[in-house]
Amino acid sequence: MDFNVKKLASDAGVFFTRAVQFTEEKLGQAEKTELDAHFENLLARADSTKNWTEKILRQTEVLLQPNPSARVEEFLYEKLDRKVPSRVTNGELLAQYMLEAANDFGPGTPYGKTLIKVGETQRRLGAAERDFIHSSSINFLTPLRNFLEGDWRTISKERRILQNRRLDLDVSKARLKKAKAAEAKAAAVPDFHETRPRNFVLSASASALWNDEVEKAEHELRVAQTEFDRQAEVTRLLLEGISSTHVNHLRCLHEFAESQTNYYAQCYQYMLDLQKQLGRLPGTFVGNAESTSPPPATTSPTTVAAATIPVVPTIPVVPTVVGAPNPTAAAEGTLNPNEVKPPASGTRKARVLYDYEAADSSELALLADEMITVYSLPGMDPDWLIGERGNQKGKVPVTYLELLS
């Protein structure tokens, strides 16, 4: 118990001495041992790496899991060293609702069929999102966390020890400086009337006493310098290891980018497939047969055509003439491309956004980025246009085109 008390008292004295030295340095009343420029650069680089790693880690977590409550739950499971329960993604939940709605409305109706197709695509998107989150967590987030919770904590610990060693070194330097100044003063003007306890011995001169004090201070300085140099070398090696950390994070970043690329490529392909499936169901977007009624007899064909193509008001419409093929039949998929004539003027150019495979002879196959001429027919489904490419013509879906002025 006595040993513990002495050690506690010694540690308290060292702590107080360091605190005094640190305060005097801040106030400019004490000299400070400066580190070399290379060491300072290593420290600044390590601090920058830690700060940016924390920011990237937090924002990536937000990207992968926008729900803050879910992030807190995952954090607690991680700290408790328990497996995080599987969570349904938003896409999978939306797919479940769409499929249930399709069964309720009738899977054979146009709306029900579309809900099933879109729901299945949403389920595939949700599964792709789950795989992306899982791979990103393992290949990107985990290495960043390991650095902050492992390597950086070790670096911070060694830096604190180095700071204490530097304070001890500066205290030893200040003590030696004071002892030498007192020794010089005592040698110049001997004083045998000192009231300090160590000068109560009348046979000892003040100069001899201060000489012993100087030797003691020099010994303490050599010890402090050795410990400081040893700790500085340890800290330097750890700080130089930041370069290896950057290399490791670079590899993880490449894996994250590759995983994200694959995820978005999958989503793009899924949506293209869905778009093709919906494009082959033109009746899906014009309503079911039960709610369709013929237009009044007084309504002209031009009025009907204008009412049925509100999304492409600037597309030229081929007028109905006597002896011309029935436009309604063309809109229903029995179009004969050879019988369709383009308007005399005002046709529009369009750029193809995606590849499209023709479902039958009445449709025109498309290749991405090619330019075609388009126009509409009276009574035609507003989601379709007539496209021409050289001597080829046929129906094309509007969603695959970018209409140009």
Side-chain angles (χ1 to χ4, degrees):
M1 183 65 181
D2 183 51
F3 172 80
N4 293 335
V5 172
K6 289 181 179 180
K7 186 176 184 301
L8 180 62
S10 176
D11 293 343
V14 172
F15 175 79
F16 178 76
T17 304
R18 291 171 179 171
V20 171
Q21 175 68 22
F22 184 80
T23 304
E24 290 179 350
E25 288 176 358
K26 291 297 182 181
L27 297 176
Q29 299 175 358
E31 296 181 359
K32 176 183 177 181
T33 299
E34 298 293 342
L35 302 171
D36 60 84
H38 177 63
F39 200 99
E40 292 289 352
N41 290 336
L42 290 177
L43 290 174
R45 189 186 187 198
D47 289 335
S48 178
T49 300
K50 179 255 185 182
N51 293 334
W52 285 114
T53 300
E54 285 182 335
K55 292 180 180 180
I56 293 174
L57 175 63
R58 286 197 298 266
Q59 194 56 38
T60 306
E61 290 175 340
V62 173
L63 173 67
L64 299 179
Q65 180 51 264
N67 188 346
S69 299
R71 293 201 303 272
V72 171
E73 180 182 354
E74 293 176 357
F75 175 79
L76 294 177
Y77 274 102
E78 181 181 353
K79 290 303 179 183
L80 295 175
D81 197 18
R82 298 179 59 183
K83 183 179 179 181
V84 180
S86 178
R87 183 178 289 106
V88 178
T89 62
N90 293 328
E92 292 172 329
L93 186 60
L94 177 59
Q96 177 183 344
Y97 290 161
M98 285 185 173
L99 294 177
E100 292 177 356
N103 292 330
D104 190 16
F105 297 145
T109 62
Y111 186 37
K113 291 179 180 179
T114 305
L115 279 174
I116 292 176
K117 291 185 178 296
V118 177
E120 291 175 349
T121 301
Q122 292 299 326
R123 181 159 53 190
R124 297 170 70 186
L125 292 174
E129 180 185 4
R130 181 192 300 277
D131 295 338
F132 168 61
I133 293 175
H134 179 70
S135 62
S136 299
S137 177
I138 295 177
N139 299 327
F140 189 62
L141 295 183
T142 299
L144 298 186
R145 290 196 190 99
N146 291 341
F147 166 73
L148 294 175
E149 298 176 0
D151 295 348
W152 181 251
R153 287 186 179 180
T154 302
I155 293 175
S156 300
K157 176 183 176 182
E158 298 301 329
R159 287 178 64 177
R160 288 193 297 268
I161 296 176
L162 178 63
Q163 175 76 350
N164 293 335
R165 295 291 183 264
R166 186 195 62 77
L167 291 174
D168 294 341
L169 177 62
D170 291 337
V171 169
S172 299
K173 289 180 178 180
R175 186 176 299 161
L176 177 60
K177 184 178 180 179
K178 292 178 181 179
K180 286 185 175 181
E183 180 187 26
K185 181 179 179 181
V189 183
D191 184 5
F192 298 98
H193 301 287
E194 283 283 333
T195 59
R196 297 172 66 92
R198 62 175 174 273
N199 291 329
F200 287 166
V201 181
L202 300 178
S203 61
S205 66
S207 179
L209 291 174
W210 281 114
N211 185 38
D212 294 340
E213 192 71 20
V214 169
E215 292 179 355
K216 181 180 178 181
E218 288 177 344
H219 174 71
E220 292 179 353
L221 177 60
R222 287 193 296 270
V223 174
Q225 185 69 54
T226 301
E227 293 180 351
F228 173 77
D229 292 341
R230 183 187 300 112
Q231 185 60 36
E233 184 63 22
V234 172
T235 307
R236 184 191 302 273
L237 292 175
L238 290 174
L239 293 175
E240 290 175 348
I242 291 294
S243 298
S244 300
T245 299
H246 285 187
V247 173
N248 183 36
H249 288 182
L250 175 62
R251 178 183 58 80
C252 297
L253 187 60
H254 276 284
E255 293 179 355
F256 173 71
E258 182 179 357
S259 178
Q260 195 171 29
T261 301
N262 294 335
Y263 166 63
Y264 285 120
Q266 284 181 325
C267 294
Y268 175 74
Q269 188 60 47
Y270 293 158
M271 295 309 299
L272 278 184
D273 295 342
L274 174 63
Q275 200 170 35
K276 290 180 180 180
Q277 294 176 13
L278 297 182
R280 293 168 183 172
L281 298 174
T284 302
F285 301 98
V286 295
N288 43 25
E290 296 177 359
S291 60
T292 303
S293 57
T298 57
T299 304
S300 65
T302 305
T303 305
V304 175
T308 56
I309 53 172
V311 295
V312 284
T314 59
I315 297 295
V317 178
V318 178
T320 304
V321 295
V322 178
N326 187 357
T328 305
E332 293 175 353
T334 59
L335 173 68
N336 186 355
N338 297 325
E339 299 177 356
V340 176
K341 295 182 179 181
S345 62
T347 57
R348 295 190 62 178
K349 291 291 185 180
R351 185 175 70 89
V352 179
L353 299 176
Y354 323 106
D355 293 345
Y356 177 74
E357 182 180 354
D360 51 48
S361 60
S362 67
E363 298 181 1
L364 178 65
L366 303 175
L367 295 177
D369 294 329
E370 69 173 336
M371 302 293 295
I372 63 173
T373 302
V374 295
Y375 51 90
S376 182
L377 295 175
M380 190 174 182
D381 185 346
D383 294 301
W384 292 81
L385 296 172
I386 300 299
E388 289 189 1
R389 181 181 57 236
N391 295 328
Q392 298 177 328
K393 64 177 65 177
K395 294 193 303 178
V396 293
V398 176
T399 53
Y400 280 63
L401 303 176
E402 177 187 2
L403 299 180
L404 305 177
S405 57

